[in-house]
Amino acid sequence: MSNKEKTLLDKLQTIDPRIVYGLLIVALIAPLLSPLGLPLKITPVVQKFYQTVESLKPGEIVFYSFEFGAGDYPEAEGAGIAVKRHLFAKGVKIVFSTTNDQAVLVLLKSLQSAGIPPDKKYGVDWAFLGYIPGAETAIAALATDMHATAKTDHYGTPIEQLPLMKQVRSIKDVSLLIVEGGGTETPTKFVRQWYAPYKVRYLQICISVVGPTLEPFVGAGQIIAMVVGASGGAQYELLIKRPGIAVAGMDAQAFGHVLVIMFIIIGNAAYFASKRGRR
């Protein structure tokens, strides 16, 4: 082995870690700033979720229970934004609510990020009932009489004064239930209190660690479909043809993985080449 080759191997094995971390930072940030939209396979469960929303007709009522706290929300942010955009584009009426006291501000942020179309009026096209205390008791009560359970909306307006809520009193007026977040507990409560007695159509958005736990409900048909984590969100963004934060995140993840694999290959190649040189 020549001196030049030995020098190159030595440099590869003693490369400054700051260079590695610097390249990794660039590989992660660049796709976030300018997403490439790398090819992504659409899974059947995400396709089914999309088709269920797509089947809704203008004016139908969607009850949207937002249950994410600030800690879990970032992973599924892209999914939630994409689904809300799809719903507003379909022209359905949306009633938002939450049984998680930490979720109120997170939902408002999500709506701001989704961008409510200017032609959609609060109280007519959508409403937010706010935080409903009581956990499973509240979920059961909302199914039977929303007006008795939430006498005012999040902003303190009596829901009797909202034109939308004059059309919605109980689960019988709801065409579709969407639950965003809630870990493993809240979805099971909705299955018990909304699906089991009323057979309401139910879609779920959740983070990756929760997805496998809820799969049995999907297999049993109690939950029609799920969008899980950043990957599910990226697929949904592609389906509605509005790539966003989830697609950018998946691009960044792919570039990061490629760079790490490259460093592993280079490091191992240099190591084995140096052993042959010593022999």
Side-chain angles (χ1 to χ4, degrees), residues 255-278:
F255 273 86
H257 288 169
V258 168
L259 187 63
V260 169
I261 291 170
M262 285 177 57
F263 277 123
I264 290 173
I265 293 172
I266 291 171
N268 279 279
Y271 171 74
F272 287 112
S274 65
K275 286 186 68 174
R276 287 199 300 271
R278 284 196 294 271

Side-chain angles (χ1 to χ4, degrees), residues 10-146:
D10 289 339
K11 286 182 177 180
L12 287 175
Q13 292 184 81
T14 59
I15 189 170
D16 191 333
R18 290 175 294 183
I19 296 176
V20 176
Y21 292 131
L23 290 172
L24 186 58
I25 289 171
V26 172
L28 293 175
I29 291 179
L32 292 175
L33 297 176
S34 181
L36 300 176
L38 297 175
L40 192 64
K41 181 181 178 181
I42 307 298
T43 58
V45 69
V46 175
Q47 183 71 47
K48 193 171 184 180
F49 192 116
Y50 171 83
Q51 289 173 342
T52 302
V53 174
E54 189 66 16
S55 69
L56 293 170
K57 298 177 182 178
E60 287 194 271
I61 306 296
V62 174
F63 190 91
Y64 199 117
S65 185
F66 187 93
E67 304 294 337
F68 270 128
D72 293 336
Y73 174 65
E75 184 190 346
E77 181 177 9
I81 290 172
V83 170
K84 293 179 189 70
R85 286 174 173 172
H86 193 190
L87 290 170
F88 281 120
K90 289 298 296 180
V92 299
K93 311 289 186 180
I94 313 171
V95 179
F96 292 99
S97 180
T98 182
T99 60
N100 180 356
D101 60 347
Q102 300 179 27
V104 174
L105 294 178
V106 186
L107 170 59
L108 295 176
K109 178 185 181 299
S110 180
L111 287 169
Q112 183 180 22
S113 299
I116 300 172
D119 62 326
K120 303 300 179 185
K121 296 181 179 180
Y122 182 80
V124 176
D125 300 295
W126 68 282
F128 179 28
L129 302 184
Y131 166 59
I132 312 295
E136 188 161 358
T137 303
I139 291 172
L142 284 167
T144 56
D145 192 341
M146 295 182 193

Side-chain angles (χ1 to χ4, degrees), residues 127-246:
F128 179 28
L129 302 184
Y131 166 59
I132 312 295
E136 188 161 358
T137 303
I139 291 172
L142 284 167
T144 56
D145 192 341
M146 295 182 193
H147 289 239
T149 307
K151 296 185 182 298
T152 62
D153 69 0
H154 171 65
Y155 306 99
T157 304
I159 65 171
E160 298 285 355
Q161 296 179 14
L162 301 177
L164 171 56
M165 295 311 296
K166 292 178 181 178
Q167 306 173 42
V168 189
R169 180 162 291 276
S170 72
I171 196 173
K172 295 178 181 178
D173 303 309
V174 174
S175 298
L176 180 67
L177 164 67
I178 297 178
V179 179
E180 183 174 347
T184 58
E185 293 183 3
T186 302
T188 59
K189 293 170 185 174
F190 272 103
V191 167
R192 285 194 294 265
Q193 301 301 333
W194 282 51
Y195 177 81
Y198 305 107
K199 299 298 183 287
V200 66
R201 294 195 300 166
Y202 175 10
L203 298 174
Q204 177 72 42
I205 300 170
C206 63
I207 59 175
S208 300
V209 71
V210 173
T213 308
L214 299 182
E215 280 292 345
F217 296 107
V218 177
Q222 296 166 316
I223 298 176
I224 296 173
M226 294 190 297
V227 174
V228 181
S231 175
Q235 295 172 50
Y236 208 91
E237 288 178 346
L238 295 177
L239 284 170
I240 66 170
K241 297 180 174 56
R242 291 190 65 175
I245 189 172

